[in-house]
C-alpha cells in the first residue's frame, strides 16, 4: 500500500531568464545530465534482458545532484558514494564504455569486471568508488579527507550517501571526528524520500535530515537539489569553507528517483501522482528550457546532442558485448598491494 503522507517537496526547478551561470556551464550540465539519463535508461533495459546481472540501482531523476557538484569542484578533489554509482564517474569523465563493461562484468570494465554495478571505481578521475555496505563509505570519505589535510593538498572529499545511511552508527562517528579534526569533507545526503522502500518519517523522528549535523556543530543545510544551480552554489560554498581549514559541511540534497530503489523494486510504496509530480520538476528539462529561453541553442541543436549521446551509449553496449570476461587468474589479483602474495592455490 502506498505511503500517502505528504513529504516536503522541493520547489520546481526554475527556468533562469537572467542566469548567473554562463552558456558553457549550462551546455555542459545539459550534456552531462543527458548522458547520465540515457545511460541509466539503457542499463535498465539491459537488466531486463538479463545482460546485466546482480543488483542495479539507477540514478534517473537525481542527475542534478552530480552535475552541479562537478561544476563546483576541481579535477583534483576526491569523490566517494554508495552503490547508486553509475552517474558520478560518468560526469567526472570515466568513459561510458568502461562503466558499461563493468556492468556486464567484463575484463575491460573500470573495475576489471570484478565489481559490477555496485562497485564502480576510477582512480584516474579521483572517483574512490561505489560501496555496497550501507553507510560504509561515510567514514571512508572522512579518511580520504584526513589524507588530503595531512598531505596539505588543498583538496576536498565529496562524500555521498542515501537517506537510509544516516541511521548507521558510522555516520555519526564520522561526523564527530570530521568536525573535531576540521576535515575537508562535504557530506551529502541524497534524500530521495525513501530508504529502499521505507519513507523517511517511518524510520526517524528527525525528518529534516540536515539537522543531524547540527548536533556536531557542523554547518548544515537543506538544498533543493532538483535545481542544478542550487547544487552548484551549495557545494561551492562548502568547498570554500573546507579549503579555508574550517572543516566539514553537511548538505541534505532533496531529490527524487523516478525508478525503484533497485531494478527489483516495483515502488508500490508511493503513488503515481507523486511520481508524476516530481517528473514535472525534472532538472534536465529546466536546464533545457533555460538554454532555449536564452537562445543559447535551438531545439534542433539540443536534439543533435541527444542523438550523439544515444550513439555513445549504444557504442558502450557494443563494447561491453564484444569484451571478454576476466581470466580466472584475476581472482588472485588486486587484493593486496604485494604482487607475490603467497596464496594457497591447492
Amino acid at each position: 500500500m502506498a505511503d500517502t503522507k505528504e513529504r516536503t517537496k522541493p520547489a520546481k526547478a526554475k527556468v533562469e531568464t537572467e542566469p548567473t551561470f554562463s552558456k558553457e556551464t549550462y551546455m555542459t550540465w545539459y550534456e552531462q545530465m543527458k548522458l547520465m539519463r540515457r545511460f541509466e535508461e539503457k542499463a535498465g533495459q539491459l537488466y531486463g534482458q538479463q545482460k546485466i546481472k546482480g543488483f542495479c540501482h539507477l540514478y534517473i531523476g537525481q542527475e542534478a545532484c552530480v552535475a552541479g557538484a562537478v561544476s563546483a569542484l576541481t579535477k583534483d578533489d576526491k569523490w566517494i558514494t554508495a552503490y547508486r554509482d553509475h552517474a558520478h564517474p560518468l560526469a567526472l569523465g570515466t568513459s561510458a564504455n568502461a562503466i558499461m563493461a563493468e556492468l556486464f562484468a567484463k575484463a575491460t570494465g573500470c573495475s576489471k569486471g570484478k565489481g559490477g554495478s555496485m562497485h564502480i571505481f576510477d582512480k584516474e578521475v579521483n572517483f574512490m568508488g561505489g560501496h555496497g555496505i550501507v553507510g560504509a563509505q561515510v567514514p571512508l570519505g572522512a579518511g580520504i579527507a584526513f589524507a588530503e589535510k595531512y598531505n596539505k593538498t588543498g583538496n576536498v572529499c565529496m562524500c555521498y550517501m542515501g537517506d537510509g545511511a544516516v541511521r548507521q552508527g558510522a555516520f555519526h562517528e564520522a561526523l564527530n571526528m570530521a568536525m573535531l579534526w576540521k576535515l575537508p569533507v562535504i557530506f551529502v545526503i541524497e534524500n530521495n524520500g525513501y530508504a529502499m522502500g521505507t519513507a523517511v518519517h517511518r524510520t526517524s523522528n528527525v525528518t529534516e535530515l540536515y539537522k543531524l549535523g547540527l548536533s556536531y556543530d557542523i554547518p548544515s543545510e537543506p538544498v533543493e537539489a532538483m535545481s542544478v544551480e542550487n547544487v552548484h552554489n551549495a557545494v561551492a560554498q562548502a568547498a570554500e569553507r573546507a579549503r579555508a581549514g574550517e572543516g566539514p559541511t553537511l548538505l541534505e540534497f532533496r531529490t527524487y528517483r523516478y525508478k525503484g530503489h533497485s531494478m527489483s523494486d516495483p515502488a508500490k510504496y508511493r503513488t503515481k501522482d507523486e511520481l508524476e509530480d516530481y517528473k514535472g520538476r525534472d532538472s534536465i528539462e529546466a536546464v533545457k528550457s533555460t538554454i532555449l529561453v536564452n537562445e543559447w541553442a535551438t531545439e534542433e541543436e539540443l536534439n543533435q546532442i541527444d542523438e550523439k549521446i544515444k550513439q555513445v551509449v549504444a557504442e558502450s553496449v557494443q563494447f561491453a558485448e564484444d569484451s571478454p570476461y576476466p581470466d580466472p587468474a584475476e581472482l588472485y589479483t588486486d587484493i593486496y598491494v604485494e604482487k607475490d602474495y603467497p596464496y594457497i592455490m591447492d
Side-chain angles (χ1 to χ4, degrees):
M1 183 175 180
D3 188 340
T4 56
K5 180 175 178 178
E6 190 78 4
R7 65 170 295 207
T8 302
K9 295 179 180 178
K12 289 188 177 181
K14 182 181 177 183
V15 177
E16 298 289 344
T17 55
E18 297 181 2
T20 56
F21 295 95
S22 67
K23 168 188 174 180
E24 290 72 23
T25 298
Y26 274 97
M27 296 301 290
T28 298
W29 282 338
Y30 182 77
E31 190 161 347
Q32 283 181 337
M33 292 196 290
K34 270 291 186 176
L35 176 58
M36 297 178 216
R37 179 71 57 89
R38 296 302 183 202
F39 186 94
E40 294 290 67
E41 288 172 344
K42 178 56 69 175
Q45 293 173 7
L46 294 165
Y47 191 91
Q49 296 169 13
Q50 297 187 353
K51 293 187 176 182
I52 295 174
K53 302 181 188 298
F55 295 98
C56 186
H57 305 79
L58 303 181
Y59 208 71
I60 298 172
Q62 299 185 200
E63 293 87 355
C65 297
V66 168
V70 169
S71 60
L73 297 181
T74 76
K75 65 179 180 63
D76 295 319
D77 291 321
K78 306 301 189 293
W79 301 70
I80 191 168
T81 190
Y83 44 79
R84 197 179 303 277
D85 62 346
H86 309 160
H88 305 71
L90 277 174
L92 290 169
T94 304
S95 72
N97 284 7
I99 299 174
M100 189 65 77
E102 189 60 38
L103 300 189
F104 275 62
K106 296 298 185 72
T108 52
C110 52
S111 299
K112 300 184 181 180
K114 302 177 184 183
S117 170
M118 299 171 73
H119 303 95
I120 304 292
F121 282 75
D122 189 353
K123 185 179 178 181
E124 295 302 313
V125 299
N126 288 318
F127 183 63
M128 303 305 175
H131 295 264
I133 298 176
V134 174
Q137 79 280 9
V138 184
L140 292 177
I144 292 167
F146 178 86
E148 298 299 323
K149 180 174 182 176
Y150 183 85
N151 290 317
K152 298 181 173 58
T153 64
N155 300 328
V156 306
C157 178
M158 190 75 172
C159 179
Y160 288 85
M161 69 203 79
D163 47 277
V166 303
R167 315 291 170 233
Q168 294 287 349
F171 165 82
H172 298 273
E173 294 167 354
L175 261 61
N176 180 58
M177 294 175 72
M179 192 58 185
L180 178 65
W181 295 339
K182 301 297 185 289
L183 301 181
V185 56
I186 304 171
F187 295 112
V188 173
I189 304 169
E190 293 177 304
N191 183 4
N192 55 43
Y194 302 96
M196 295 187 70
T198 305
V200 170
H201 73 268
R202 291 184 178 273
T203 63
S204 176
N205 184 58
V206 179
T207 56
E208 294 185 286
L209 300 180
Y210 74 94
K211 291 182 177 179
L212 296 172
L214 300 177
S215 59
Y216 302 100
D217 290 337
I218 295 177
S220 306
E221 63 177 304
V223 180
E224 304 298 356
M226 299 301 278
S227 162
V228 67
E229 297 92 345
N230 288 350
V231 170
H232 176 103
N233 289 333
V235 172
Q237 184 179 27
E240 184 178 356
R241 288 190 64 259
R243 296 191 213 282
E246 297 175 17
T249 299
L250 176 64
L251 302 175
E252 179 192 343
F253 282 2
R254 292 177 177 173
T255 184
Y256 201 80
R257 52 174 164 77
Y258 299 165
K259 299 295 184 180
H261 172 74
S262 69
M263 287 299 297
S264 60
D265 174 16
K268 293 182 179 179
Y269 42 80
R270 61 187 180 187
T271 65
K272 291 182 180 179
D273 287 344
E274 178 184 289
L275 176 59
E276 290 307 313
D277 181 42
Y278 276 94
K279 286 184 176 180
R281 304 161 189 264
D282 190 76
S283 56
I284 300 177
E285 290 303 312
V287 167
K288 178 180 179 179
S289 296
T290 295
I291 291 170
L292 293 174
V293 164
N294 289 278
E295 299 182 346
W296 287 333
T298 64
E299 187 89 42
E300 181 180 355
E301 288 169 331
L302 295 181
N303 288 340
Q304 289 173 356
I305 291 173
D306 199 15
E307 288 302 314
K308 180 184 74 172
I309 289 169
K310 287 179 181 177
Q311 185 60 34
V312 168
V313 174
E315 289 174 359
S316 76
V317 176
Q318 191 62 53
F319 176 80
E321 294 269 22
D322 294 343
S323 294
Y325 286 105
D327 187 278
E330 282 292 318
L331 181 66
Y332 300 101
T333 65
D334 304 314
I335 307 300
Y336 297 99
V337 173
E338 185 180 350
K339 298 297 183 183
D340 56 349
Y341 186 84
Y343 289 102
I344 298 173
M345 308 291 285
D346 297 333

